Amino acid sequence: MHKTEVDIPPSVRKRLIHLFGLIEKEFESVCQENVILQEKVESLTEKVNEKYLTTEQFQVNSKQKPPTGQKLKTADKLKAQTSKIVSSFKSPSAANCQFVKEYGGHRDGLWDLALPRTGQPVIGTCSADHTARIWCIETGTPLLQYTGHTGSINSIKFHPIKDLALTSSGDQTIHIWQAAVNLDNLRDRESDDTETEDDRVVPILRTPSCTFLGHNGPVMASDWLLGGDQIITASWDRTANLYDVETSELLHSLTGHDEELTYASSHHSQKLVVTASRDTTFRLWDFREAINSVSVFQGHTDTVTCAIFTSAGLGGEDKLVSGSDDRSIKVWELRNMRSPITTIRAESGVNRFAIASNGVIAIPHDNRQVVLYDMTGQRVNRIPRTARNRHRRMVTAVAWSEDNSFANLFSCGFDRLALGWSVQLYKD
């Protein structure tokens, strides 16, 4: 007997849409309550620290007799213990974070964002609305819109040295397209004070330079390998594919994960690739030798949402950082990955984080927060949330800029917005 598709009656479909809407509202309400409670806890913690975690609480009152004998020893112990507590709460670094720009125009939630390594003052975003956009960082003006995909665009990466963008989509394809934009035309447009936002026509690119096929499920992420001659992809079909850019040829299909892949990224200076999966593991693939090798790591208890190598220039040994829906971020020493050297406990599920060249990790959360930590696990700061300048739904990804003085951290989320932040780090 052949299977036939059964259309859902309009009344049932309408009812389902209504129920899903109620579920979404309830989820948002719970998230909001969680944020409020978290802020209350932090406020109370600060008050407790001010009251009890200062050595002044144990100083002798000038009107009282100084303690003697055993009492003196007890007071000294209390002072010593308190000093230890204070030092354990103190972060070695801190940051001043300010909102600077909003990038709005997508018609659905944003999945990812990226900045070119060439230093151009632009940012790229991709969305579930099937489009990717390139924006001017300082003005927030859209410079180019790519519409070549027929499904949600789940990731975007710029070529290391060329004006090319790499996007992965739910339509099971990966595209490379020309990402060159003319900033001179933007300056001319800025001089026209009579032009409004509605008057601005965003150039549209519909045709990719190259299309990669071979996956049987949505492609969640992709990245350029060292030099930009090859790309790595990660798909819900449980495979990661390695392609040659010039020929579009599939070089390797990397299998072994037990469930859908969520992320893939490459090392900045070696032919190493890491893939993350819903099977709670991430895998390290080594293409430096003719015979490829793979290592499996099981440090998480839920979906591994992101795994990336530390950026070039960061002091010390090369590291790999992984994040998960189990509300943890783990830092691993690449030469010895038997166990993580640092574990950061997050407030909620962790999405696509980013690491600055100075080692500060920006972590986007399901609870609409972006929190900054250093590589030792010390909390640096949290991106401020005001009535106007904040994400109203989950934050899906962040990206650092090392070359832009206007804004150096960017975030995007399901609220259809990308936001630019100025983060100034300083040592205590």
Side-chain angles (χ1 to χ4, degrees), residues 253-385:
S253 184
L254 311 179
T255 60
H257 280 291
D258 295 328
E259 294 187 35
E260 295 89 340
L261 272 66
T262 57
Y263 201 73
S265 62
S266 66
H267 193 276
H268 49 84
S269 62
Q270 303 181 64
K271 285 205 169 182
L272 297 172
V273 167
V274 61
T275 56
S277 171
R278 294 180 63 182
D279 63 12
T280 75
T281 73
F282 62 92
R283 293 181 174 230
L284 183 61
W285 309 82
D286 191 342
F287 296 101
R288 292 174 295 185
E289 304 293 339
I291 300 177
N292 305 324
S293 62
V294 59
S295 302
V296 184
F297 300 95
Q298 301 176 332
H300 292 283
T301 59
D302 205 338
T303 298
V304 183
T305 54
C306 185
I308 56 179
F309 300 95
T310 54
S311 57
L314 187 63
E317 299 292 339
D318 281 352
K319 297 178 178 62
L320 190 151
V321 185
S322 59
S324 170
D325 278 341
D326 65 8
R327 302 186 178 189
S328 74
I329 301 93
K330 296 178 183 289
V331 181
W332 310 75
E333 199 81 61
L334 204 54
R335 286 190 176 183
N336 181 12
M337 296 187 59
R338 294 180 181 178
S339 60
I341 58 174
T342 303
T343 297
I344 301 170
R345 298 298 175 188
E347 300 171 359
S348 69
V350 175
N351 296 313
R352 295 180 177 180
F353 54 86
I355 306 173
S357 60
N358 57 12
V360 174
I361 311 171
I363 305 170
H365 292 300
D366 287 348
N367 67 358
R368 315 175 200 182
Q369 303 280 358
V370 178
V371 186
L372 307 181
Y373 285 86
D374 65 20
M375 296 293 284
T376 66
Q378 291 284 348
R379 177 164 163 166
V380 176
N381 206 339
R382 181 175 64 184
I383 296 300
R385 290 168 51 86

Side-chain angles (χ1 to χ4, degrees), residues 5-18 20:
E5 289 189 6
V6 179
D7 291 333
I8 300 176
S11 60
V12 177
R13 185 186 299 274
K14 185 177 180 180
R15 178 64 175 166
L16 287 173
I17 293 173
H18 174 69
F20 284 131

Side-chain angles (χ1 to χ4, degrees), residues 163-236:
D163 291 327
L164 297 173
L166 174 68
T167 48
S168 314
S169 175
D171 63 13
Q172 304 182 11
T173 69
I174 307 95
H175 290 178
I176 293 176
W177 43 277
Q178 292 290 335
V181 293
N182 192 336
L183 294 172
D184 292 331
N185 288 346
L186 176 64
R187 296 187 184 97
D188 294 337
R189 284 160 56 182
E190 287 175 352
S191 63
D192 184 2
D193 297 333
T194 63
E195 185 182 44
T196 65
E197 289 290 336
D198 294 335
D199 296 328
R200 293 176 180 173
V201 178
V202 184
I204 296 178
L205 177 64
R206 295 182 173 86
T207 307
S209 304
C210 188
T211 301
F212 301 89
L213 305 173
H215 282 296
N216 297 316
V219 186
M220 301 309 296
S222 56
D223 197 7
W224 306 89
L225 263 69
L226 176 65
D229 298 327
Q230 298 174 344
I231 63 168
I232 186 70
T233 64
S235 170
W236 275 8

Side-chain angles (χ1 to χ4, degrees), residues 61-221:
N61 191 313
S62 59
K63 294 181 180 180
Q64 295 176 348
K65 293 181 180 180
T68 57
Q70 187 62 34
K71 290 183 179 180
L72 180 60
K73 293 180 181 179
T74 303
D76 290 338
K77 287 181 180 180
L78 286 172
K79 282 187 178 183
Q81 291 171 0
T82 306
S83 299
K84 290 180 181 180
I85 295 173
V86 172
S87 63
S88 68
F89 274 82
K90 187 177 180 181
S91 175
S93 60
N96 178 30
C97 308
Q98 293 183 341
F99 168 83
V100 293
K101 203 68 183 178
E102 177 181 297
Y103 308 88
H106 281 289
R107 298 183 178 181
D108 207 338
L110 275 64
W111 280 116
D112 199 9
L113 76 171
L115 289 100
R117 302 178 194 175
T118 56
Q120 263 196 316
V122 298
I123 181 176
T125 59
C126 62
S127 168
D129 66 7
H130 303 185
T131 71
R133 288 192 174 205
I134 296 178
W135 312 76
C136 174
I137 287 179
E138 292 192 15
T139 66
T141 305
L143 305 174
L144 180 65
Q145 180 172 249
Y146 179 67
T147 61
H149 285 289
T150 59
S152 170
I153 304 182
N154 302 319
S155 77
I156 181 170
K157 287 287 190 300
F158 288 100
H159 191 278
I161 56 176
K162 299 178 182 178
D163 291 327
L164 297 173
L166 174 68
T167 48
S168 314
S169 175
D171 63 13
Q172 304 182 11
T173 69
I174 307 95
H175 290 178
I176 293 176
W177 43 277
Q178 292 290 335
V181 293
N182 192 336
L183 294 172
D184 292 331
N185 288 346
L186 176 64
R187 296 187 184 97
D188 294 337
R189 284 160 56 182
E190 287 175 352
S191 63
D192 184 2
D193 297 333
T194 63
E195 185 182 44
T196 65
E197 289 290 336
D198 294 335
D199 296 328
R200 293 176 180 173
V201 178
V202 184
I204 296 178
L205 177 64
R206 295 182 173 86
T207 307
S209 304
C210 188
T211 301
F212 301 89
L213 305 173
H215 282 296
N216 297 316
V219 186
M220 301 309 296

